Amino acid sequence: MASHAGLQQLAIVIAYAVGVVLLKQVTASHWNLIAGLRVLCLLLVPRRYWAAMVIGETIPLIGLGWTYHDRFGTLWACLVTVPPILLTAPVIAWCRRRMALFVDGRVNITALMTCIFAGALVSTLVNSGSFATMTFRPDETPHPLTVHTVLEFFLGSYLGALTLVPPVFAWLGWSSRQQSAAAVSMRKIAIVDCLKGVVPPLLMLAWLALTSHSEEVVGIARMAMFLPVAWLTLRLGWQGAAIGGLLASVAVELTMTVERDPAVMQAEALIAFAVSSLILLGARMATKPVGDRAGSEAGSESQRGFLLAQQGLYQEELRLRHVAESLDRLGQSMRDGQHRMMERLRPVLPASMENTYARHLDLTQMEMRRLADALHPRAWREHGLAATFESGPLSKAASLVGAAYRCTLTGTGLNLLAPDVHMMLYRQACEVLVYMLAREPMKRIRVHIRGGSSHGRRWVVLRMTAVRSAPALRGKPVPEWRQLVSLLGTNGQGMSTVRERAQIYGGVVHERENEQHLGVTLLLHDALRADAPEMSPTARAVSA
């Protein structure tokens, strides 16, 4: 029995030491995955194996200290061999005594994030202390310990823990024995959503950042990497934010071409803040009242969850608008530079090549404008709600497939709706239009928007009706369907997405069809803000 326990301890020592050595190959000062492994093991491994983990972390550190003791000094070599897990373990143990890691079989996100923060803080102190004792050769530039260095250590430790710990707990939560069938289903949904909706855009943005020579484009690509994480949060809750944050962090790291690049650090800080916020938001959305609470209290909790979801969606729309405006400025800068270049090259270029270059420049500008419009319509930014629906991307999409388009706005109080309701109304209209045209070609499309108020609660109804084509064409999407998804900036996932978003705004969706017409009607409410005086007054602007 004693020999078996000793073999277990030895296995833990070897496994932890190997894990530290492997993660050391991909760890950077601003992405410290070893700190994440440390916190994860302290949260999951029984305490009887903690001493083995201390030994397992000490072994690689002894090799590190011996390798570089001539360069950085004997004092540094001695201090660096002190394993950070030795100081982190008491802190994590104290946190676990004060806060339960699981409540009613669910992960306590507050306790989890507190442990991550505490582990990052201890790791920062240890790394800063060993860094301060470094000595440098006379021919080397000394690197004193500064506030920037300390913040870099903290960011690396925090993001490293945020990259590893929440995804593992999310996956373990889906592996619960009590909910085996639901767990298998959630794992399958998570894998499919990541492969379809998260990995492709992250790879595209990483490729754009690696191939572009413009720092502004690289910065925009890195900032946009948290948008798929927000989408996955709406789909899966905090588990989606955790897994999406892991993928986004890896994607940002793939764009690093310079060691300790400040631009990468800024992107990593943005990802860390966004992922932390989305995990907390997703946990709040998933929280349900338990026990014998009164029905009014349960309704209040649900209402606050929907309000937080609305605020999160609106913040994502503001970020999309910021990215679209940045693309517009970038396009203008590129256009001016290209025109100046053409003016200089015109005397030496043949007429045919000049026309070819001019067409290429025009196509580039059109693509930039199309991408900016897909993120946030220019008509919305310049002319507001009515112009967007009457002559914006919806009208262009209908023209692209050869369908007549008309939009009418009636009722009262449309301009009194919150800007996020306006934007959600437009996004829903785009999703419905793509859904219809993905089913079959349409001859005419009519959009009717009506606003009103009942018992002090504002609402808006959108009714989209289309005249169907010949029966022989039904069930066949229009050839331009994929272009419509790109033009309107939609997910193209059908009515399930429309119903989920309508539910967040207290609305419903009805679908009807007959031999001549196909129609979808949806209702959105602006009622939550009537009971939420704490909402920022700036959120009441007329347009987004």
Side-chain angles (χ1 to χ4, degrees):
M1 195 70 177
S3 61
H4 179 69
L7 289 176
Q8 287 182 331
Q9 297 284 349
L10 180 61
I12 294 294
V13 171
I14 296 174
Y16 193 83
V18 171
V20 171
V21 172
L22 292 178
L23 289 181
K24 184 66 177 176
Q25 309 306 314
V26 294
T27 289
S29 59
H30 54 273
W31 199 47
N32 190 353
L33 295 179
I34 297 177
L37 176 67
R38 188 180 303 128
V39 174
L40 180 63
C41 291
L42 289 174
L43 291 176
L44 295 179
V45 176
R47 295 187 183 182
R48 62 180 179 272
Y49 298 120
W50 284 13
M53 291 193 299
V54 172
I55 298 173
E57 189 171 47
T58 305
I59 294 173
L61 293 178
I62 292 175
L64 178 67
W66 175 257
T67 303
Y68 294 99
H69 76 282
D70 289 335
R71 180 177 179 183
F72 298 122
T74 305
L75 178 59
W76 172 85
C78 294
L79 289 179
V80 81
T81 57
V82 178
I85 194 173
L86 187 64
L87 303 178
T88 308
V91 177
I92 299 299
W94 182 86
C95 292
R96 293 182 60 176
R97 283 196 301 269
R98 295 298 186 274
M99 296 175 290
L101 199 56
F102 294 92
V103 178
D104 298 325
R106 298 176 182 173
V107 178
N108 184 356
I109 296 299
T110 302
L112 186 66
M113 297 301 290
T114 301
C115 291
I116 290 175
F117 182 85
L121 191 60
V122 174
S123 179
T124 301
L125 295 176
V126 173
N127 291 334
S128 300
S130 61
F131 185 86
T133 61
M134 280 185 175
T135 59
F136 297 91
R137 298 171 182 172
D139 58 337
E140 291 182 339
T141 303
H143 300 282
L145 182 65
T146 62
V147 175
H148 180 273
T149 307
V150 175
L151 292 177
E152 182 179 349
F153 283 140
F154 177 78
L155 173 63
S157 301
Y158 181 75
L159 187 59
L162 203 63
T163 301
L164 294 182
V165 178
V168 172
F169 275 86
W171 196 260
L172 291 176
W174 289 331
S175 303
S176 173
R177 293 181 179 179
Q178 291 79 5
Q179 300 177 350
S180 57
V184 172
S185 175
M186 288 301 298
R187 288 199 298 270
K188 290 182 179 179
I189 292 174
I191 294 173
V192 171
D193 285 347
C194 288
L195 293 178
K196 288 185 176 180
V198 179
V199 174
L202 287 179
L203 289 177
M204 182 191 69
L205 291 170
W207 172 83
L208 180 63
L210 287 171
T211 58
S212 175
H213 299 290
S214 171
E215 293 185 0
E216 187 172 0
V217 173
V218 174
I220 292 173
R222 287 169 174 166
M223 286 192 299
M225 286 181 179
F226 64 83
L227 297 179
V229 185
W231 174 79
L232 198 61
T233 304
L234 294 178
R235 296 277 296 172
L236 302 175
W238 75 266
Q239 294 96 333
I243 296 175
L246 165 63
L247 298 175
S249 299
V250 173
V252 172
E253 276 299 313
L254 292 177
T255 66
M256 186 183 71
T257 57
V258 180
E259 184 70 18
R260 305 179 75 172
D261 186 357
V264 175
M265 289 181 56
Q266 293 175 6
E268 294 282 11
L270 175 64
I271 292 292
F273 175 77
V275 172
S276 301
S277 302
L278 289 173
I279 288 176
L280 295 174
L281 175 62
R284 183 67 173 178
M285 291 170 57
T287 301
K288 297 181 180 179
V290 294
D292 298 326
R293 298 179 183 176
S296 59
E297 183 179 354
S300 178
E301 286 293 326
S302 176
Q303 187 179 35
R304 282 194 291 269
F306 281 127
L307 178 58
L308 288 172
Q310 293 176 14
Q311 291 173 333
L313 288 173
Y314 183 52
Q315 291 300 319
E316 298 308 319
E317 290 293 347
L318 291 180
R319 294 187 180 99
L320 287 176
R321 174 172 180 167
H322 173 71
V323 175
E325 291 173 345
S326 298
L327 283 176
D328 283 338
R329 290 193 298 268
L330 177 61
Q332 178 66 38
S333 176
M334 291 175 58
R335 183 164 56 249
D336 294 341
Q338 290 166 348
H339 286 168
R340 287 194 298 268
M341 181 186 67
M342 290 298 298
E343 288 295 331
R344 294 183 180 180
L345 295 179
R346 183 170 287 115
V348 298
L349 285 177
S352 59
M353 292 186 64
E354 181 180 349
N355 293 334
T356 302
Y357 287 150
R359 286 195 300 271
H360 177 71
L361 297 181
D362 291 340
L363 289 175
T364 302
Q365 294 301 319
M366 290 176 59
E367 183 64 18
M368 292 286 289
R369 288 194 294 268
R370 183 203 63 77
L371 180 57
D373 259 357
L375 293 174
H376 200 281
R378 180 188 296 271
W380 187 283
R381 287 174 272 154
E382 295 179 352
H383 305 292
L385 177 72
T388 304
F389 277 96
E390 292 172 355
S391 59
L394 289 169
S395 176
K396 296 177 183 177
S399 300
L400 182 64
V401 299
Y405 175 86
R406 184 162 62 95
C407 177
T408 57
L409 290 85
T410 60
T412 59
L414 282 177
N415 287 335
L416 298 178
L417 292 168
D420 55 322
V421 180
H422 285 170
M423 206 65 216
M424 180 54 61
L425 187 68
Y426 168 74
R427 298 294 185 192
Q428 294 284 71
C430 293
E431 290 284 358
V432 172
L433 180 60
V434 169
Y435 162 73
M436 288 184 171
L437 295 175
R439 290 186 52 174
E440 59 190 80
M442 301 294 172
K443 296 179 180 178
R444 292 188 298 275
I445 299 171
R446 180 184 177 185
V447 178
H448 181 203
I449 300 174
R450 180 168 177 257
S453 176
S454 300
H455 307 292
R457 299 159 68 92
R458 288 179 292 277
W459 48 262
V460 59
V461 172
L462 182 143
R463 180 180 295 109
M464 184 175 294
T465 307
V467 178
R468 307 180 75 175
S469 58
L473 297 177
R474 294 177 184 176
K476 301 177 181 179
V478 296
E480 301 85 358
W481 180 68
R482 296 294 180 185
Q483 298 180 23
L484 296 179
V485 174
S486 177
L487 174 65
L488 299 176
T490 66
N491 293 326
Q493 295 184 346
M495 293 302 296
S496 60
T497 300
V498 176
R499 297 183 191 279
E500 290 171 359
R501 293 182 176 179
Q503 186 179 7
I504 292 177
Y505 283 84
V508 293
V509 179
H510 295 292
E511 185 179 1
R512 66 189 187 283
E513 62 178 285
N514 53 38
E515 287 299 321
Q516 290 78 32
H517 298 89
L518 179 64
V520 174
T521 303
L522 62 90
L523 166 70
L524 302 179
H525 278 102
D526 193 30
L528 290 180
R529 284 154 190 79
D531 302 323
E534 71 278 8
M535 184 130 177
S536 172
T538 58
R540 305 299 301 169
V542 172
S543 71

